Amino acid sequence: MDKGLNSKEQNSQDRPKDQYESVLTYSGDGYDLPGGEENEKIAKENKDAVVKATKDYLYKQYNIEVEVHNMVGNKDGVTVFFETTGRLHFYSTAIVPIDTENQRILSDNVWTLDGKIKNSIRGALYAYINEEPFKELDKEMESLKQRYDIVGRSLESLQNVGGGGYNTPFYHVTSTKDDMAMKPVYDLYLHNPDSTKEALMAAYDSTKFDATYVLINIEGFMKNEKTEPNQDAFDKMEEMVKENNMLPLGTYKLFLHDGYVQKNKGSGLKMNSIKYSTPIIKDN
């Protein structure tokens, strides 16, 4: 377990307002990507074209329908943050290139980061076929929230700058391409997106499960802006993950931050954050 040093600059009571915002109010404002200012302006002036290009690409490539929540310029175009609207729920991103010189949206050249959408689909499928274990995790996080006055991210921030797979305010889940237990589920879903939940569950090959390839990141924030991360709360989170055998299987990373988010990155990680130096493996 790692606990950062509390220098004067890193104390949670000394957060410049132009750089940090309370997790309770942060909605994604201030998030930026290098060299994207001009392209963001072009994208917002051509919002309908960007949204259409994103939706068309994702439906054609992955048979998913989405709602676009936010657009952030990058040096080559615009990063589009979206949320799926079907039964599989996740947040992710697509990149729509822009011809900056001619201020033109390159609708036929939309792309996504390697494996990002596939990992998100697998993670969403994993949560979908393991509904009860994830309900147990939700219940445990709600208990921690009430007992220690910790909070998760706001729904708005997940929508506007989330883009991390199957997300809830307290955790996100992805399943990588090497997850052979999920491969038949993923293949079935791509072949027949209307497959019943029972069929998807039956396709799961538990004999090939390897926790290394199912990633579950849990992040909590202190509700009170002036409060340092609570070691007792973190210890209880660790105990919960290690000892509750009703939770989803996978590789867990745990983080507890103070009450602030770094606005331009959407990140809670700071010098005073408490985190586990090695993941917790739950494989039985």
Side-chain angles (χ1 to χ4, degrees):
M1 183 172 55
D2 295 334
K3 178 72 186 283
L5 297 176
N6 294 330
S7 66
K8 179 181 178 182
E9 290 74 23
Q10 287 295 333
N11 190 287
S12 63
Q13 298 184 43
D14 184 22
R15 300 290 186 207
K17 290 185 178 180
D18 62 333
Q19 299 176 40
Y20 296 92
E21 184 174 342
S22 167
V23 68
L24 299 176
T25 59
Y26 181 69
S27 63
D29 287 346
Y31 187 95
D32 64 39
L33 296 168
E37 187 174 329
E38 180 63 23
N39 281 334
E40 184 166 326
K41 181 180 176 183
I42 296 169
K44 289 182 176 177
E45 290 172 350
N46 296 273
K47 180 179 178 180
D48 290 346
V50 172
V51 170
K52 184 178 187 306
T54 302
K55 288 186 173 183
D56 289 351
Y57 173 82
L58 293 168
Y59 187 76
K60 180 180 179 181
Q61 291 294 119
Y62 301 102
N63 199 32
I64 56 175
E65 296 184 355
V66 305
E67 179 181 357
V68 170
H69 289 295
N70 193 23
M71 300 184 294
V72 177
N74 60 58
K75 65 182 181 64
D76 297 315
V78 61
T79 299
V80 180
F81 290 82
F82 66 83
E83 175 183 7
T84 57
T85 58
R87 61 174 172 160
L88 284 193
H89 186 257
F90 63 88
Y91 301 94
S92 198
T93 57
I95 293 91
V96 180
I98 294 175
D99 177 349
T100 309
E101 184 177 348
N102 297 301
Q103 299 197 6
R104 189 165 63 91
I105 307 300
L106 303 179
S107 300
D108 294 333
N109 301 111
V110 181
W111 59 284
T112 57
L113 295 174
D114 186 39
K116 189 175 182 71
I117 306 297
K118 293 178 181 178
N119 289 354
S120 295
I121 292 174
R122 277 189 288 263
L125 280 167
Y126 185 72
Y128 184 65
I129 66 173
N130 288 282
E131 183 178 358
E132 292 307 314
F134 278 99
K135 281 184 178 179
E136 180 68 15
L137 179 55
D138 291 336
K139 185 181 78 173
E140 289 280 21
M141 293 309 301
E142 182 63 26
S143 176
L144 286 172
K145 175 182 177 181
Q146 298 299 327
R147 182 172 177 181
Y148 293 101
D149 225 15
I150 63 173
V151 296
R153 296 179 181 274
S154 69
L155 178 60
E156 275 189 297
S157 70
L158 291 179
Q159 292 173 338
N160 290 331
V161 295
Y166 179 79
N167 275 70
T168 74
F170 279 110
Y171 60 86
H172 71 266
V173 183
T174 56
S175 162
T176 71
K177 66 180 180 180
D178 295 316
D179 186 352
M180 292 297 104
M182 280 299 299
K183 186 178 187 303
V185 185
Y186 178 77
D187 290 344
L188 174 60
Y189 179 77
L190 287 192
H191 178 71
N192 180 14
D194 296 324
S195 296
T196 65
K197 185 174 186 178
E198 290 73 21
L200 293 167
M201 292 173 68
Y204 185 74
D205 188 353
S206 60
T207 65
K208 295 182 178 177
F209 174 76
D210 186 332
T212 306
Y213 306 123
V214 179
L215 310 177
I216 304 173
N217 283 15
I218 299 178
E219 285 192 287
F221 294 78
M222 302 309 298
K223 184 176 182 179
N224 187 329
E225 295 175 18
K226 305 301 183 183
T227 304
E228 292 289 318
N230 185 318
Q231 185 67 56
D232 288 341
F234 186 88
D235 292 345
K236 194 64 178 178
M237 187 190 304
E238 173 201 351
E239 178 185 307
M240 174 266 291
V241 171
K242 287 183 174 179
E243 296 185 5
N244 188 337
N245 293 324
M246 297 171 64
L247 297 182
L249 301 181
T251 298
Y252 285 76
K253 292 184 179 181
L254 310 182
F255 303 86
L256 185 59
H257 312 298
D258 63 29
Y260 288 93
V261 175
Q262 190 172 345
K263 294 165 71 171
N264 67 338
K265 296 181 179 179
S267 173
L269 191 62
K270 303 175 233 37
M271 287 289 289
N272 66 343
S273 295
I274 309 175
K275 63 184 186 296
Y276 236 81
S277 55
T278 55
I280 298 172
I281 306 296
K282 286 188 74 70
D283 54 9
N284 56 51

